Amino acid sequence: MHTTRQISRRSMLKASGVAVGAAAGIAAARGTATAAGTGSGSFAHPGLLHTRTDLDRMAAKVKAGAAPYTAGFARLTANRHAQSGWQPRPQAVVYRGAGTPQNYTVLYNDIHAAYQNALRFHVTGESAYADTAVAILNAWSSTLTAVNGSADRFLAAGLYGYQFANAAELVRDHAGFELARFQEMLSKLFGVASDDFLVRHNNAVVSNYWTNWDLANMACVLATGVFCDDRAQVTRAVDYFKNGAGLGAIRNAIPVVYDDGLGEWLEAGRDQGHALLGVGLMGTFCEMAWNQGFDLYGYDDSRFLKGAQYVAKWSMGGQVPFTASTRRKGAIGGWSGSETVTAAAAVDPAMTRPIWAMIANHYTKRRGMSATYVTQIAAKTAPEGGGGDYGPNSGGFDQLGFGTLAFTRDRATSTTGSSASPSPAAAPSALGSAAPLASASASASAAGKGKGDDLAATGAGEIVGWTTTAAVATLAGGLLLLRKRARGGQ
């Protein structure tokens, strides 16, 4: 266990069970354009949520009047953010969080306008939409100097960093786009903050922040690494997904797998909205990784599918098994507390987010696997819209959306079930497999909000784990987990 704040990032990651080794190679995924050879890595571009093949498919299907693409495209064209007359309002400093002059709504509205215009350009070929996206992105990269606020500044860095990268990736080669300037802004103001959060967690015990906090910052680190051709950054993000100490790592986010094939989602007991957010973010992370040759969808016997199935069934009002757990909270060297959850939270079957088409199409069309509940909820929520279609508040802008248009695909001509890989040419990664972190899940209504939820830098960046009500196991790096293998049952 390390206790000094001067510890290096490399040592911190090792202490939390993360091996920060270099990947043997990151291969371009099937269907992407030629890889960019600049910087410290070589990545396929476009290659975040959408590859060249994806974009060409959307355009061809819409032109042919094929369903359901036309319905998905109609949602895009009807959105006020997808209009070429959008005028950006760049800010020098963006604030998110209580006690600050919050203006982050301006940022996420502009990001979604840039993304939607860029997507509309690729479907229609009309340059006015690309020009609008470029103008928005250039305005922000020439103006923004800081992302500040309370602890929520890390949510802003994570969510808007990965979204910024995806919008820019769609116009990175378009005339007039200031690529180098945007890369600098994205890396220094978003990627660095997200990277730091995954190392230090705002100087809190590692379980203080729920799963979606980690996943938002993981998505930012990965997306920024690809956009900026930073191989080491991509390596860190992928390895954190497998081995990270925080609650966004795959075995901590989905700590219990039941005999019926469902995987308990950690935030299911907290509330439905955050559970949906987490599933959407993990799907986004897996899709971006897939398009660079990393198969995280299939990692650990398709563990993500089991978690998504759990949340889909539960969100539709179905009964799901649950294992109680206790989560540690607090600041390093400061206040401390805990929170025990004993049952899955209540749900509103009408609550929806545009997250399911991407997941359903990956497992059922790319891999030819069964995904009953995910398929049902994807059909129920189609056609998916995007930012601006799910209310004016920030939660309606946490995903880029438009999955019916973007991710509907024909069944692959040949599949190998859960062993399918992103690309026949994908080079194997040197990243190690995760240490076993089998543990019971945290969920349900929170018991007692401790003080100090907005943590300041209060002490050493040591790693302290979360515990469950079964048995204690001490793992590498000092991470303490209570472990329980649950088998079926309510």
Side-chain angles (χ1 to χ4, degrees):
M1 180 73 68
H2 299 278
T3 58
T4 65
R5 294 187 62 192
Q6 303 302 316
I7 191 166
S8 69
R9 173 171 296 165
R10 187 179 184 89
S11 297
M12 280 296 300
L13 287 169
K14 285 183 176 179
S16 62
V18 180
V20 194
I26 300 176
R30 178 176 56 211
T32 55
T34 55
T38 60
S40 59
S42 183
F43 297 93
H45 298 295
L48 287 175
L49 283 175
H50 314 300
T51 67
R52 172 55 55 195
T53 295
D54 294 333
L55 297 168
D56 290 346
R57 180 185 65 249
M58 295 178 224
K61 294 289 190 179
V62 170
K63 183 178 181 180
Y69 301 90
T70 50
F73 184 61
R75 292 217 69 178
L76 174 65
T77 58
N79 194 302
R80 72 183 185 90
H81 296 78
Q83 312 309 314
S84 61
W86 187 274
Q87 296 297 314
R89 294 191 294 154
Q91 309 290 306
V93 181
V94 165
Y95 297 92
R96 177 168 178 167
T100 64
Q102 295 190 91
N103 61 351
Y104 68 102
T105 60
V106 175
L107 174 59
Y108 66 65
N109 275 280
D110 275 3
I111 291 174
H112 282 256
Y115 172 77
Q116 292 179 26
N117 272 275
L119 193 61
R120 191 169 180 177
F121 160 70
H122 281 285
V123 175
T124 66
E126 297 177 36
S127 61
Y129 299 111
D131 293 343
T132 298
V134 167
I136 296 168
L137 299 171
N138 282 349
W140 278 93
S141 68
S142 67
T143 306
L144 187 63
T145 61
V147 178
N148 291 338
S150 67
D152 282 7
R153 69 190 182 277
F154 292 109
L155 282 177
L159 291 169
Y160 311 136
Y162 96 77
Q163 293 176 358
F164 244 155
N166 271 277
E169 181 77 353
L170 293 178
V171 294
R172 65 180 296 134
D173 296 324
H174 194 71
F177 178 56
E178 297 288 349
L179 175 61
R181 190 175 74 198
F182 196 89
Q183 287 175 320
E184 182 178 14
M185 178 202 71
L186 189 65
S187 178
K188 290 184 177 180
L189 302 186
F190 295 87
V192 168
S194 288
D195 221 345
D196 184 74
F197 180 82
L198 296 177
V199 173
R200 276 184 276 271
H201 287 90
N202 198 26
N203 291 297
V205 293
V206 72
S207 58
N208 185 79
Y209 293 99
W210 283 101
T211 297
N212 72 88
W213 288 73
D214 259 19
L215 286 170
N217 286 284
M218 289 160 61
C220 177
V221 172
L222 177 62
T224 302
V226 171
F227 186 80
C228 297
D229 294 303
D230 188 331
R231 181 183 299 275
Q233 189 168 330
V234 170
T235 299
R236 291 196 299 275
V238 172
D239 203 37
Y240 194 96
F241 176 93
K242 298 177 179 181
N243 303 328
L247 301 185
I250 182 69
R251 289 191 181 97
N252 295 337
I254 308 168
V256 181
V257 174
Y258 295 95
D259 287 340
D260 62 2
L262 297 180
E264 187 170 315
W265 191 262
L266 187 67
E267 286 192 271
R270 181 188 182 191
D271 61 63
Q272 184 183 8
H274 285 100
L276 291 171
L277 169 60
V279 170
L281 288 170
M282 187 171 284
T284 294
F285 190 92
C286 289
E287 185 70 18
M288 294 189 298
W290 174 273
N291 286 333
Q292 296 298 334
F294 293 101
D295 181 12
L296 302 181
Y297 276 118
Y299 182 74
D300 196 18
D301 194 26
S302 297
R303 195 180 189 97
F304 174 50
L305 173 60
K306 297 168 186 177
Q309 286 273 86
Y310 182 100
V311 173
K313 181 180 181 181
W314 167 66
S315 289
M316 291 187 291
Q319 294 295 308
V320 291
F322 193 87
T323 301
S325 65
T326 296
R327 179 178 67 95
R328 284 200 60 198
K329 305 188 298 181
I332 302 298
W335 73 275
S336 63
S338 64
E339 180 177 53
T340 299
V341 289
T342 59
V347 298
D348 174 5
M351 182 182 290
T352 185
R353 292 288 185 271
I355 63 175
W356 297 109
M358 176 173 61
I359 301 167
N361 275 275
H362 173 81
Y363 287 110
T364 65
K365 299 298 180 64
R366 279 182 178 146
R367 308 191 95 111
M369 298 173 67
S370 173
T372 304
Y373 301 115
V374 168
T375 302
Q376 289 175 3
I377 201 168
K380 179 182 176 182
T381 57
E384 290 179 355
D389 292 324
Y390 299 89
N393 297 326
S394 61
F397 291 81
D398 286 341
Q399 288 86 30
L400 290 168
F402 300 104
T404 304
L405 169 66
F407 301 112
T408 301
R409 60 186 76 247
D410 297 326
R411 187 177 296 275
T413 55
S414 63
T415 61
T416 54
S418 61
S419 64
S421 60
S423 167
S429 168
L431 300 175
S433 60
L437 297 178
S439 47
S441 130
S443 303
S445 54
K449 296 281 185 180
K451 64 179 180 178
D453 288 336
D454 179 16
L455 294 168
T458 54
E462 65 179 309
I463 302 299
V464 182
W466 65 290
T467 59
T468 67
T469 55
V472 178
T474 304
L475 301 180
L479 177 64
L480 300 180
L481 295 172
L482 273 162
R483 308 176 63 183
K484 181 173 182 179
R485 291 189 178 274
R487 297 296 183 186
Q490 174 67 23

